Amino acid sequence: MAKAPRRGPYICGIDAGLDVVSGKWKGLILWELDAHGVRRFAELRRGLPGVSEKMLTQHLREMEEDGLVHRKVYAQVPPRVEYSLTEYGRTLNEALRPLGLWGIERIRREGAPVVDVTGAGVSHG
């Protein structure tokens, strides 16, 4: 069962923001949906190498409960489910953009390896 969203008390805004993106994959799910718009579960999983089906399902449920992700189910056989960012999710992604830019600079500064999600392998910053 997915955890209920925390509702405080919070120490500060960063505490409240981190509560929503806690977990290794949530920021990456936001990034993937922002980059590609609507994604099916298998597409998300391929775009996030290393995520388990269980963890992706759990994070998507939590993000839906938090109002960040929209889940659309089509009444067809086999069932088709698509995920996209809500407007609220887009605002969070915008708030995280400066952190992403800081992270790119860190990769460059340290020469850290970067996973190429296109399937070409690992590159170096």
Side-chain angles (χ1 to χ4, degrees):
M1 177 181 230
K3 74 172 179 84
R6 207 174 99 188
R7 300 288 181 225
Y10 295 112
I11 296 168
C12 63
I14 291 175
D15 185 21
L18 289 176
D19 182 37
V20 176
V21 293
S22 64
K24 177 178 179 177
W25 299 103
K26 287 183 181 178
L28 298 174
I29 293 167
L30 286 167
W31 170 79
E32 181 73 10
L33 290 174
D34 184 57
H36 299 286
V38 177
R39 296 302 256 177
R40 294 176 71 174
F41 186 88
E43 293 171 322
L44 278 170
R45 190 144 182 235
R46 278 192 300 274
L48 302 169
V51 70
S52 69
E53 186 173 324
K54 178 183 176 185
M55 190 56 60
L56 182 56
T57 299
Q58 178 183 328
H59 282 332
L60 285 168
R61 283 182 183 149
E62 290 174 6
M63 294 171 78
E64 185 180 8
E65 289 172 5
D66 286 335
L68 305 173
V69 170
H70 175 72
R71 180 177 185 262
K72 184 173 183 179
V73 180
Y74 292 87
Q76 65 185 55
V77 177
R80 186 172 111 206
V81 179
E82 294 178 340
Y83 297 91
S84 59
L85 289 179
T86 63
E87 186 57 38
Y88 190 52
R90 280 190 277 282
T91 65
L92 176 57
N93 212 35
E94 283 300 314
L96 292 173
R97 199 167 307 281
L99 179 60
L101 294 172
W102 183 90
I104 290 168
E105 181 56 35
R106 179 173 183 248
I107 289 167
R108 288 185 184 131
R109 179 181 176 155
E110 297 181 10
V114 177
V115 174
D116 179 0
V117 293
T118 64
V122 176
S123 65
H124 291 274

